[in-house]
Amino acid sequence: MANLRFQVVEEAFKKKPLDVVTPKERPYEYFGKYVFNREKMYKYLPKDVYEKLVDVIDNGARLDRSIADAVAAGIKQWAVENGVTHYTHWFQPLTEGTAEKHDSFIEHDFKGGMVEEFSGKLLVQQEPDASSFPSGGIRNTFEARGYSAWDPTSPVFIIDDTLCIPTIFISYTGEALDYKAPLLRTLHAVNVAATEVCKYFYSDVKKVQSNLGWEQEYFLVDEGLYSTRPDLLLTGRTLMGHDSAKNQQMEDHYFGTIPDRVQAFMKDLEIRALELGIPCKTRHNEVAPNQFELAPIFEETNLAVDHNMLLMSLMKKVARKHGFRALLHEKPFAGINGSGKHNNWSLSTDTGVLLHAPGKTPEDNLRFVTFIVETLMGVYRHNGLLKASIMSATNAHRLGANEAPPAIISSFLGKQLSELLDHIEQSDTDELFAMAGKQGMKMDIPEIPELLIDNTDRNRTSPFAFTGNRFEFRAVGSEANCASAMTALNAAVAEALVEFKRRVDAAISNGKDQTKAIVDVLREDIKTCKAIRFDGNGYSDDWVEEATKRGLDVEKSCPVIFERYLDESSIKMFEALGIMSKKELEARNEVKWETYTKKIQIEARVMGDLSMNHIIPIATHYQSMLIKNVQNMRSIYPADKADKLSERNFKLIEEIAERTQTIERGVEELINARKVANKIENEHDKAIAYHDTVAPKMEAIRYQIDKLELIVEDDLWTLPKYRELLFIR
């Protein structure tokens, strides 16, 4: 086995970058090549059908099923011209991944042959087995019916020979069983609420949309090394492994030269992504060794979520082609940076960005402050829920470590904006205010042009930081579905805007001037949500104490954090906005608790297997070699001299015995803890038991294994080490 490890390492070092076939066109020419976008809609659909479909997409008009056959015919013609033979409803169940069932176009012609057909009925609706996906008890195993329904606001696309139709997924009784349906509802809610508030400032605003620009971080590991690490293969992270002497402490990987093999992978991935309409913009080395990032231009939130889910799937496929495995786990390696998916969120109208400042007029600045403050109000009222929306068994390893934000939701605004809000809070006048734009900074180097300095700095420890014209929700995990965080955030902001308008309208109806009414309500809200504003070090122990005093949620237990979905305030908000019912929320929490339990359960079983079948046999084999060496020394030298010369070996023999015994006891305790937890029927209580009693035992076992890795002869250690996993490209 030792030879296999060295063989795999040697082969990894020899691998060369693949040649990537680059399209002859410029990127903008093949962008969206395999997407049924507006250009193709205009070409393949009758004019009246095209106009009705655009009305649905742009204005939220109800889809007229009478046009479905014409749309299906146009899509099929385009798909067949691109070699497509199958179609699928592509949806996002509560599994963190995507789902698809492929059907071919062929049907009987009732003359002994076959024809290719694709009707409006097949486009609009299908019936996957709802009992085979997580439902949290909404559907029993004997109640199989569920529906996937076409989402026309996200364009159809082609993967290989299959036409993919983005859809929602609901149960036979109407409850959402996916991430997309609640997201679409919350986008509608924030559109309605924000548009109404916009009319205080701009009467011509017709629509407000939520925008999202995600930043996808990931690790690449050589496929050969990956295949010899059962923990990576089965859990997505290393359950053991001593840190490398060199990791990220030299700070030389971040923004460094991209390795050739990785560059080839990135190029291939970007070409495929651009062909699918994913607007890839940025690529670079991240902080940790073998960690990288890809970020697109921002898009409407629903489309951005679909594109992120598609990209993660595409990334895994392209990585394997290049001899890599893409790791999307939030913390695949202990002791170095984990991977996040920063969600850059903003609101924009059909006339401009609502969070953009400074404005050209005092009224513009008042609009800016209004949407900043009401966003903060939503985040303050539902800070626990927002934390629950990004929490998972995997992301829990990342939060609060190595530049990841802590598990306390707060917002960084920067000096200028903080001072402005403080001024409004403390002022006793209703005068409007001016805001400074970017300031120039001249360098003492003649050749360097003047720099334009943003009016906010960055705070890498802030989970929800304002960065100029958007908020960056930095706590979202790398393998998460962005829809979870975006659903909670947009709902919280929509609720705050609805409440803001109610209070302003009430003041106006009592005779107050509109501007005075707005400023007075803002002043109250600035005072109310002040607790959520924090510009300091989120890693400090003092902040935990201070956040507790401020009434912020400081809970760290993943299963307990999920309870925030069932808070009275959360249920009231989701139901009032028509996003999810209490029944749906309860079902989703059942899924969350069950998923948490299963992930820890799998990790515990893998840990036990590796401990007993890899680590202990290797350690005891090396121990036997040391004992044999001591015996040989005694056959050559007198006992006293032999023992003195073997002093180091005696210490190692004893240490190995103690550590292997501790591991063996730890595995037995781990198994017993699992058995006890598995008998608990309530999913909530079972998840808490796994968090409190099972997970800590795994960490105790890992500590002993990592110490053994430093002792046992390198030739005998079968599992690739961190220095190999992280530094081979």
Side-chain angles (χ1 to χ4, degrees), residues 139-411:
R139 303 298 288 159
N140 293 308
T141 54
F142 58 86
E143 297 173 318
R145 196 179 298 276
Y147 298 111
S148 55
W150 176 37
D151 170 19
T153 64
S154 185
V156 170
F157 57 92
I158 295 172
I159 296 286
D160 299 325
D161 65 350
T162 303
L163 178 72
C164 299
I165 305 161
T167 62
I168 65 168
F169 181 43
I170 61 173
S171 75
Y172 177 69
T173 47
E175 295 87 2
L177 297 177
D178 69 344
Y179 284 101
K180 181 182 274 278
L183 177 67
L184 291 175
R185 293 172 187 152
T186 198
L187 296 179
H188 173 72
V190 81
N191 171 29
V192 172
T195 300
E196 288 297 308
V197 173
C198 273
K199 293 188 184 300
Y200 289 137
F201 311 101
Y202 318 111
S203 60
D204 58 339
V205 169
K206 298 178 181 177
K207 177 182 179 181
V208 174
Q209 72 175 29
S210 165
N211 301 313
L212 169 63
W214 40 264
E215 304 169 24
Q216 181 68 58
E217 295 176 344
Y218 61 96
F219 282 84
L220 290 177
V221 173
D222 186 85
E223 188 165 31
L225 296 169
Y226 173 91
S227 66
T228 56
R229 288 284 310 220
D231 49 354
L232 273 179
L233 186 68
L234 297 175
T235 73
R237 76 179 181 107
T238 53
L239 299 177
M240 55 197 67
H242 200 281
D243 61 336
S244 173
K246 179 183 184 297
N247 46 58
Q248 66 187 45
Q249 69 265 48
M250 296 300 295
E251 301 174 335
D252 56 349
H253 189 65
Y254 190 54
F255 281 18
T257 302
I258 300 172
D260 290 343
R261 273 183 71 194
V262 177
Q263 181 92 343
F265 156 77
M266 287 180 168
K267 181 178 179 181
D268 200 357
L269 176 63
E270 285 182 6
I271 290 170
R272 290 168 177 255
L274 289 168
E275 289 177 337
L276 289 167
I278 304 173
C280 299
K281 177 72 172 178
T282 302
R283 66 189 185 199
H284 63 82
N285 289 4
E286 256 299 334
V287 174
N290 271 16
Q291 188 186 34
F292 308 94
E293 180 179 296
L294 181 153
I297 302 171
F298 75 90
E299 302 176 282
E300 184 277 325
T301 295
N302 180 45
L303 182 58
V305 168
D306 282 2
H307 278 168
N308 183 245
M309 297 304 293
L310 178 57
L311 180 101
M312 289 193 289
S313 175
L314 189 63
M315 181 182 288
K316 294 174 183 178
K317 184 184 297 186
V318 175
R320 296 196 69 174
K321 173 183 172 184
H322 288 261
F324 290 119
R325 286 298 185 112
L327 303 182
L328 296 176
H329 192 290
E330 283 80 1
K331 198 76 170 178
F333 303 101
I336 61 173
N337 267 33
S339 294
K341 180 151 50 193
H342 303 171
N343 278 206
N344 294 280
W345 172 89
S346 66
L347 294 175
S348 64
T349 70
D350 42 349
T351 60
V353 179
L354 292 175
L355 301 180
H356 181 70
K360 295 180 180 179
T361 67
E363 288 75 16
D364 280 344
N365 290 332
L366 183 58
R367 172 267 310 159
F368 167 73
V369 171
T370 295
F371 280 91
I372 289 291
V373 171
E374 294 315 310
T375 297
L376 293 175
M377 280 293 288
V379 174
Y380 168 67
R381 285 174 176 156
H382 297 285
N383 69 94
L385 173 66
L386 287 172
K387 181 163 66 174
S389 75
I390 56 88
M391 184 54 71
S392 66
T394 52
N395 202 24
H397 291 286
R398 163 182 167 261
L399 294 178
N402 301 100
E403 295 191 359
I408 303 171
I409 300 297
S410 64
S411 184

